[in-house]
């Protein structure tokens, strides 16, 4: 899925999805999502990775797609970091990240 500002979401497998959010959106939701086994946040990345194992994970994906679309409307990200590849391209895979640094 893409917008005029670039890619918003893509699948790495049948179950793993990457969503691109702004730094502000990642910070806003990181605390709420840190206990979810379905979410991976990599510090410094615009991308959030979701693993779809249950129906509730799909509901979460739909909610975060909505957040991503709204974040894209406010692009550019106020922090103005250089765009990077998704979490999979950064070698992060689906490994639990340390959210204490976000």
């Amino acid at each position: 899925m893409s917008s005029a500002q670039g890619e918003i979401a893509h699948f790495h497998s049948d179950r793993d999805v990457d969503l691109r959010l702004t730094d502000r959106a990642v910070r806003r939701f990181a605390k709420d999502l840190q206990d979810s086994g379905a979410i991976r946040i990599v510090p410094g990345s615009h991308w959030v990775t979701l693993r779809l194992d249950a129906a509730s994970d799909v509901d979460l994906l739909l909610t975060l797609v909505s957040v991503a679309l709204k974040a894209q409307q406010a692009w550019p990200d106020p922090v103005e970091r250089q765009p990077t590849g998704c979490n999979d391209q950064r070698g992060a895979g689906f490994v639990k990240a340390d959210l204490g640094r976000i």
Side-chain angles (χ1 to χ4, degrees), residues 1 9-19 33 36-40 48-65 93-94:
M1 173 191 296
H10 61 262
F11 282 81
H12 285 282
S13 70
D14 291 344
R15 299 179 350 177
D16 295 338
V17 181
D18 277 342
L19 289 170
L33 299 173
S36 172
I39 299 287
R40 296 298 180 257
V48 174
T49 304
L50 285 89
R51 173 152 291 169
L52 306 176
D53 285 329
S56 60
D57 300 335
V58 175
D59 292 339
L60 179 58
L61 171 63
L62 294 174
T63 298
L64 289 178
V65 165
F94 208 79

